[in-house]
Amino acid sequence: MAILLLLLLLSPFLSLSFAGPVAVEFLYPNFTGSNFHFVDNSGGIFLTSPNSTFQAAIRNPDNQQTNFYLSVIHTASNTIVWTANRDSPIPNSGLVRLTSTGITISLPNNTVVWSTPSLPSPVRCLRLLDSGNLLLLDSKNSSLWQSFEHPTDTLVSGQRLPSGSSLVSSVSTANLSSGNFRLLVTSDDAVLQWMGSQQYWGLSTDPRASKDVNAQVSYMATNFSGLYLFSTRSDQEAVFQVNLGGADLWIARVDSRGRFHVSTYPAGPNSLHDTFVAPSNDCDLPLGCTALGICSGGGSTSTTCTCPSLFGKTTDSGDCTPNDGAVLASPSVCSGSSHPTSSFMSLGIGVDYFNYKYANPTRTGVNISSCEGLCNGNCSCLGFFYQNSTQACYLLEHELGSLTSSSTRDAIGYIKTSGSPSSSPSHSSDSSNLIAILLPTIAAGLLIVVLLVVVSQWWRRRRMRKSASQRIWKTKSTGLKELQLGRHKSSPVGSPDSDDEFASDDEIPIPGLPTRFTHLQLEAATDNFQTRIGSGGFGEVYKGVLPDKTLVAVKRVRVMGRKKEFFTEIAVIGSVHHINLVRLKGFCAQGSRRMLVYEYMNRGSLDKSLFGPGGPVLEWQERVDVAIGAARGLAYLHSGCQHKIIHCDVKPENILLHDGGHVKISDFGLAKMMTPEQSGLFTTMRGTRGYLAPEWLTNSAISDRTDVYSYGMVLLEIVHGRQNRSNGAVLKSEESGGTMGTESSSGFGESEYFPMVALEMHEQGKYVELADQRLEGRVTAEEVARMVKVALCCLHEEPGFRPSMVAVVGMLEGNVAVPQPRVDLLNFLRLYGRGFAVGPSGFSNAGLWPHGGGGARGSASNTTSTTTESPTYSFLSSQQISGPR
Ligand SMILES: *[C@@H]1O[C@H](CO)[C@@H](O)[C@H](O)[C@H]1NC(C)=O
Ligand SMILES: *[C@@H]1O[C@H](CO)[C@@H](O)[C@H](O)[C@H]1NC(C)=O
Ligand SMILES: *[C@@H]1O[C@H](CO)[C@@H](O)[C@H](O)[C@H]1NC(C)=O
Ligand SMILES: *[C@@H]1O[C@H](CO)[C@@H](O)[C@H](O)[C@H]1NC(C)=O
Ligand SMILES: *[C@@H]1O[C@H](CO)[C@@H](O)[C@H](O)[C@H]1NC(C)=O
Ligand SMILES: *[C@@H]1O[C@H](CO)[C@@H](O)[C@H](O)[C@H]1NC(C)=O
Ligand SMILES: *[C@@H]1O[C@H](CO)[C@@H](O)[C@H](O)[C@H]1NC(C)=O
Ligand SMILES: *[C@@H]1O[C@H](CO)[C@@H](O)[C@H](O)[C@H]1NC(C)=O
Ligand SMILES: *[C@@H]1O[C@H](CO)[C@@H](O)[C@H](O)[C@H]1NC(C)=O
């Protein structure tokens, strides 16, 4: 009775609350909804997942009033992760219907603009799962159709993107129609493409990705730990992986400028936090600038756009158009097989097309006039690039993208123009006819260009607004913060000068952060520093065992400046994680004692396997894997982490091996950290003799290309199996006196300076002869040639002409064409190889460096450094600096 009364009392409220539709978990057939029905009480939402992580709604993104979409929305970030009718938006009065035959979306006059395909059995209900998957279920609860199988521009955790399918960008955040960019999963990679075919990024060449196995890709997906391309052999096996830390939900999407983001949403409502963005440089985007804008900067520095010299910026659009009033060719203005009055305008020197890293030449082995002819005779050709050294011809089509400034390739570009109609009047009988046809099309073309510019400018503004909040990797300050959360609060903390930042230690153990050890703990772990496994400038390295039985290499650092600087370095090194970089597991800073605890690499350094007497010879495939692994590690240091890290001491001793084919770079980050401001001038560090780049002796700036040079030297040693300066006697005399031994150069003997031999053999086109004799021909000739060419490109005297490590990885893996090494930039090798005595004035010591050169710049001494600025590094001598083993 009381209950009845209560119901009666409540009934007005009950009916009130049911008056408007309420979002539910299931919908059953004969449901009809529109934005009108829902907008008042729920913003168009008509379905929610059980725990409300996702919602389905009829939405008008950016609050415009013309385009409404049936969407699945991630509630917390208010992000649209799927759209049913992206290419057929409906007005706000459009209707969504669920019937037993599926979902239809129609206009108010019942014209259907979108529907699910015909289904094998009747629909029992529509359901939205907590994963974000929208399902049509039959009476047996099995799935008839699911949104996860029809991705738009977004992939969420739990969703798979099979090989052969793609995520397609939206035109803008307000217009969700399919745009011109896509992320395509292929059988061996995930690539970004523009206009259907022009690749501008590939996961396999991204330094942040690591390759696990050689297998075909089955699908792309994210799991808790990151982004994976899973192999066809097993769901547990990844072909490529990008480790992103950990998150329950990753939202991976291609934005309307063509960038691929993998994001989480910890930052609060309406904001995603980008953990991975590719390409990371604006200038790698097809429209980093407007069409034909030359993009520079774009990485850690801001992007600048300029026009080629023969082109000017039109004031209203910002587009680059010919100064002389000619009109850019457009495929629509084309009669028969070629443009009416076409000519070509040069883009000038040092300019390349945005996708040159990935483009395949349209034709090779042709001269520049044939290349021009190919473009001239083809209506869809808008211009061409020609590379002199490889005789490769690249035709541009579809639409013109941005240019990059490039000093490393000898490519020259030309853009096709149709002479302006006024300047080339009637020389054909039907020219008036032609103009009548041409004018409107040209006008239309111009209109498109203007529209494009408006859109791209709008994008640029938008990006500028966003950029402040986009942080790709942990910042240095968070690194320090993590350090504060170290586990050993009670351990003595040392002098007061350094410890303000560490005063508020919280005892929150976070797995994966470098652990702080006490001296006693490490003394116990190493059995009182019993087993020495290496020694060098930084100090001795000892083998140790932690209480949990993991093997470690403990480096007892002799000098490491003040505690504050030490902590700063630790925070940075500890935050750098890559499969090809030795992991810092912990550290100790107690009183004046400094120790670094690294993971243990059981095969020791590469020099032992490569040059060591006895022991099995390193087989060719292992060498290739070592070369690629080391290159990937360096590429990550140069461009994968937040702070650019220049290693400064790349050599076989700092490349460590472990069973199972693991290859890791060690001792990185001990050189000074690079901030963007510093990166041009870096004069305080020195590397190791034999691997030093020429710029250490001249006054040019030290950059990531300095490591590339050293890597090139290492690559030659990997091919050859001997040290480049292999003659023991010469080595000794250098070490004692710092003088240059004059070697006999009769034939290709082992006493010759190997880089010079490599150059000579390259000129003769003979490569296999350079491979380690001990392999007795068990090599792949093609790979030897490739490795030698890559090595020689790395050795180019002019740093700007050396490839980046990212490009080196691409070349070694065969994804990027290997350019011809430039002999004119390598002649200096002959000079040093022939053992000349005195070079041009100012270079009188130059003869030292390929063999010795451990001395500071311009100084003949090879044991002291005269240019050190930071006390932290003053201990560095030319002595071999060993990594942890
Ligand atoms: C839906 O409506 C149609 C026609 O109005 C009707 O025939 C059908 O039985 C209804 N289905 C359900 C499940 O109510
Ligand atoms: C329905 O309306 C749209 C636009 O309002 C129109 O294009 C279409 O022809 C109409 N269909 C019918 C059958 O009237
Ligand atoms: C909702 O459910 C999903 C899947 O079960 C889970 O991953 C997520 O953490 C849940 N979210 C909330 C807010 O409970
Ligand atoms: C289908 O799933 C719903 C909800 O989980 C459940 O209530 C219903 O009993 C299921 N029906 C069948 C046939 O399994
Ligand atoms: C959305 O973009 C498409 C493709 O560029 C275009 O055809 C369409 O007109 C746009 N819609 C609106 C409302 O701007
Ligand atoms: C994600 O997948 C990779 C590759 O199979 C696997 O190694 C890793 O453990 C997975 N992470 C989680 C949290 O399942
Ligand atoms: C370019 O090549 C074509 C055909 O191979 C040849 O006819 C022409 O003379 C060459 N032009 C020059 C400038 O070498
Ligand atoms: C024009 O060039 C495009 C792209 O290079 C090519 O696909 C097409 O076949 C060419 N057409 C002619 C007629 O050569
Ligand atoms: C290309 O090569 C030719 C002959 O080999 C030379 O004359 C020309 O100057 C080179 N052009 C460039 C831009 O290097």
Side-chain angles (χ1 to χ4, degrees):
M1 191 61 209
I3 293 172
L4 198 65
L5 200 68
L6 198 68
L7 277 177
L8 276 173
L9 276 174
L10 281 176
S11 59
F13 301 100
L14 281 173
S15 60
L16 197 70
S17 66
F18 285 141
V22 171
V24 291
E25 191 187 333
F26 295 95
L27 280 180
Y28 298 95
N30 285 1
F31 163 88
T32 304
S34 81
N35 182 62
F36 275 159
H37 290 56
F38 294 93
V39 76
D40 293 336
N41 37 1
S42 58
I45 298 163
F46 58 89
L47 207 55
T48 64
S49 73
N51 70 14
S52 301
T53 305
F54 288 94
Q55 298 172 325
I58 301 164
R59 267 294 162 88
N60 53 331
D62 276 12
N63 269 326
Q64 39 75 26
Q65 293 301 317
T66 46
N67 295 343
F68 284 74
Y69 302 94
L70 168 57
S71 315
V72 174
I73 294 153
H74 177 243
T75 315
S77 63
N78 199 23
T79 307
I80 293 180
V81 298
W82 181 78
T83 318
N85 55 323
R86 68 185 311 192
D87 290 313
S88 339
I90 47 170
N92 61 2
S93 50
L95 295 173
V96 174
R97 283 202 179 83
L98 176 65
T99 65
S100 57
T101 58
I103 310 172
T104 55
I105 302 178
S106 52
L107 299 176
N109 66 10
N110 286 334
T111 308
V112 172
V113 298
W114 183 86
S115 69
T116 45
S118 67
L119 304 169
S121 55
V123 173
R124 191 184 71 88
C125 69
L126 176 69
R127 185 178 186 191
L128 182 60
L129 301 183
D130 278 332
S131 59
N133 197 0
L134 190 66
L135 293 169
L136 284 175
L137 300 177
D138 68 8
S139 55
K140 296 197 197 76
N141 273 357
S142 56
S143 156
L144 291 167
W145 171 93
Q146 48 182 311
S147 66
F148 268 17
E149 286 175 358
H150 306 273
T152 51
D153 61 350
T154 305
L155 189 76
V156 296
S157 294
Q159 188 175 1
R160 295 176 173 192
L161 189 64
S163 162
S165 54
S166 51
L167 300 178
V168 177
S169 68
S170 297
V171 167
S172 70
T173 49
N175 182 349
L176 304 185
S177 303
S178 309
N180 292 333
F181 305 95
R182 67 171 178 174
L183 178 95
L184 172 71
V185 178
T186 67
S187 62
D188 56 2
D189 204 350
V191 300
L192 285 170
Q193 294 177 334
W194 184 48
M195 307 292 286
S197 59
Q198 302 178 53
Q199 183 181 347
Y200 56 96
W201 176 79
L203 185 67
S204 66
T205 48
D206 194 293
R208 294 166 291 184
S210 46
K211 184 158 193 167
D212 286 4
V213 295
N214 260 323
Q216 299 263 299
V217 173
S218 162
Y219 62 92
M220 182 173 98
T222 53
N223 69 14
F224 180 84
S225 10
L227 177 73
Y228 295 85
L229 293 184
F230 288 98
S231 98
T232 44
R233 296 196 296 233
S234 145
D235 285 350
Q236 299 307 310
E237 190 182 69
V239 180
F240 282 101
Q241 61 164 302
V242 182
N243 205 322
L244 300 175
D248 286 326
L249 177 67
W250 293 108
I251 296 179
R253 69 195 197 286
V254 180
D255 74 15
S256 39
R257 268 191 99 208
R259 276 207 152 129
F260 178 57
H261 303 248
V262 185
S263 323
T264 54
Y265 59 99
N270 294 334
S271 70
L272 287 179
H273 176 88
D274 284 335
T275 306
F276 180 86
V277 178
S280 43
N281 190 319
D282 269 355
C283 293
D284 292 332
L285 291 172
L287 289 169
C289 289
T290 54
L292 297 185
I294 304 175
C295 189
S296 54
S300 45
T301 57
S302 62
T303 309
T304 54
C305 297
T306 51
C307 287
S309 54
L310 294 180
F311 295 70
K313 231 173 209 143
T314 55
T315 45
D316 47 341
S317 65
D319 216 6
C320 297
T321 49
N323 284 331
D324 64 2
V327 177
L328 298 181
S330 127
S332 54
V333 193
C334 201
S335 59
S337 69
S338 94
H339 288 81
T341 52
S342 60
S343 56
F344 289 90
M345 281 179 78
S346 167
L347 291 172
I349 302 291
V351 169
D352 219 325
Y353 205 49
F354 73 90
N355 72 341
Y356 73 91
K357 279 180 236 164
Y358 299 98
N360 288 318
T362 313
R363 200 72 73 79
T364 51
V366 295
N367 59 28
I368 188 163
S369 29
S370 316
C371 185
E372 180 183 323
L374 278 177
C375 185
N376 204 16
N378 189 330
C379 248
S380 56
C381 180
L382 303 178
F384 67 92
F385 273 83
Y386 182 77
Q387 196 183 5
N388 229 15
S389 56
T390 55
Q391 296 189 312
C393 175
Y394 302 80
L395 300 189
L396 313 182
E397 51 177 352
H398 302 306
E399 196 178 297
L400 291 173
S402 297
L403 307 171
T404 57
S405 62
S406 149
S407 52
T408 47
R409 283 214 326 167
D410 56 344
I412 40 180
Y414 291 89
I415 295 300
K416 195 196 261 181
T417 59
S418 346
S420 61
S422 58
S423 71
S424 61
S426 55
H427 53 257
S428 94
S429 56
D430 57 354
S431 72
S432 56
N433 245 344
L434 201 61
I435 288 171
I437 298 168
L438 283 183
L439 271 182
T441 33
I442 290 174
L446 278 177
L447 197 69
I448 290 173
V449 168
V450 168
L451 269 177
L452 270 176
V453 166
V454 168
V455 168
S456 75
Q457 280 213 325
W458 179 76
W459 264 107
R460 208 168 334 145
R461 278 203 305 278
R462 217 186 103 79
R463 186 167 44 78
M464 275 158 75
R465 280 207 307 276
K466 266 186 172 175
S467 65
S469 62
Q470 286 184 353
R471 295 213 312 240
I472 304 171
W473 292 97
K474 285 176 198 154
T475 64
K476 201 164 184 173
S477 63
T478 54
L480 275 172
K481 204 152 189 180
E482 285 159 4
L483 199 63
Q484 291 173 25
L485 305 178
R487 291 173 190 167
H488 299 272
K489 181 192 176 189
S490 54
S491 56
V493 173
S495 53
D497 72 299
S498 55
D499 300 315
D500 339 1
E501 298 157 289
F502 302 90
S504 62
D505 275 13
D506 289 332
E507 274 228 32
I508 307 172
I510 295 182
L513 290 180
T515 310
R516 190 162 176 177
F517 293 95
T518 63
H519 190 258
L520 269 178
Q521 285 173 320
L522 292 184
E523 214 170 63
T526 56
D527 200 3
N528 205 11
F529 303 101
Q530 276 281 318
T531 322
R532 203 173 82 172
I533 51 179
S535 79
F538 286 105
E540 272 78 40
V541 185
Y542 300 89
K543 184 172 177 177
V545 190
L546 295 182
D548 67 358
K549 301 268 186 291
T550 42
L551 288 174
V552 288
V554 178
K555 175 171 281 189
R556 209 151 54 160
V557 182
R558 272 202 218 103
V559 201
M560 199 62 165
R562 293 189 317 146
K563 194 169 269 184
K564 192 167 183 171
E565 274 134 27
F566 182 70
F567 280 135
T568 312
E569 297 307 314
I570 294 300
V572 171
I573 301 172
S575 72
V576 176
H577 301 315
H578 188 268
I579 197 159
N580 296 115
L581 297 173
V582 172
R583 182 73 170 264
L584 180 70
K585 293 178 98 84
F587 67 101
C588 162
Q590 216 174 338
S592 61
R593 297 189 183 105
R594 304 279 185 273
M595 280 181 263
L596 299 175
V597 182
Y598 288 101
E599 66 183 306
Y600 181 80
M601 300 287 286
N602 68 353
R603 287 176 60 194
S605 55
L606 174 62
D607 57 318
K608 289 184 187 156
S609 304
L610 206 52
F611 318 130
V617 54
L618 210 53
E619 284 302 325
W620 180 251
Q621 189 53 45
E622 292 177 278
R623 296 183 195 219
V624 173
D625 293 344
V626 167
I628 291 176
R632 279 182 169 276
L634 287 173
Y636 185 82
L637 287 178
H638 290 173
S639 52
C641 40
Q642 199 219 346
H643 288 265
K644 181 177 198 164
I645 297 176
I646 297 182
H647 191 293
C648 289
D649 199 16
V650 178
K651 56 182 176 179
E653 287 83 349
N654 281 334
I655 298 171
L656 306 186
L657 309 180
H658 192 90
D659 286 343
H662 296 283
V663 182
K664 301 189 191 224
I665 302 275
S666 77
D667 268 14
F668 57 90
L670 299 181
K672 196 173 176 181
M673 286 289 307
M674 302 293 294
T675 60
E677 302 81 61
Q678 292 171 307
S679 57
L681 261 170
F682 187 70
T683 54
T684 61
M685 282 300 305
R686 293 179 301 105
T688 302
R689 41 200 2 229
Y691 305 93
L692 279 177
E695 56 264 31
W696 286 108
L697 278 185
T698 65
N699 266 333
S700 33
I702 300 306
S703 69
D704 53 351
R705 305 300 150 105
T706 310
D707 282 349
V708 174
Y709 180 95
S710 309
Y711 177 81
M713 284 293 178
V714 173
L715 201 51
L716 286 181
E717 294 186 337
I718 290 176
V719 171
H720 188 41
R722 280 169 182 267
Q723 286 184 292
N724 288 332
R725 30 152 200 157
S726 63
N727 188 311
V730 171
L731 190 62
K732 215 166 238 157
S733 82
E734 274 165 26
E735 248 149 23
S736 55
T739 53
M740 176 61 208
T742 312
E743 299 165 36
S744 75
S745 51
S746 51
F748 171 23
E750 292 299 353
S751 64
E752 268 196 291
Y753 185 49
F754 186 66
M756 180 189 80
V757 177
L759 174 62
E760 284 169 354
M761 299 303 264
H762 161 66
E763 286 176 309
Q764 297 165 30
K766 295 186 200 159
Y767 300 101
V768 188
E769 287 84 346
L770 296 168
D772 196 338
Q773 303 295 312
R774 293 173 296 169
L775 288 173
E776 294 166 337
R778 297 188 304 277
V779 299
T780 317
E782 188 192 324
E783 283 175 348
V784 177
R786 184 190 301 163
M787 262 161 86
V788 172
K789 283 188 198 169
V790 171
L792 289 175
C793 289
C794 292
L795 295 184
H796 282 156
E797 187 172 14
E798 187 55 51
F801 284 83
R802 297 174 200 149
S804 69
M805 283 313 301
V806 175
V808 167
V809 172
M811 291 173 198
L812 291 177
E813 290 185 340
N815 298 318
V816 173
V818 183
Q820 284 296 319
R822 294 190 39 177
V823 174
D824 53 325
L825 295 175
L826 292 165
N827 280 330
F828 72 102
L829 291 174
R830 275 192 257 271
L831 226 53
Y832 300 126
R834 298 248 152 82
F836 78 110
V838 178
S841 66
F843 282 85
S844 55
N845 292 314
L848 284 173
W849 58 259
H851 295 260
R857 293 169 166 229
S859 156
S861 154
N862 60 7
T863 50
T864 57
S865 165
T866 57
T867 55
T868 45
E869 287 164 16
S870 155
T872 314
Y873 304 108
S874 57
F875 58 85
L876 256 182
S877 75
S878 64
Q879 215 175 336
Q880 306 268 311
I881 300 164
S882 299
R885 324 265 129 104

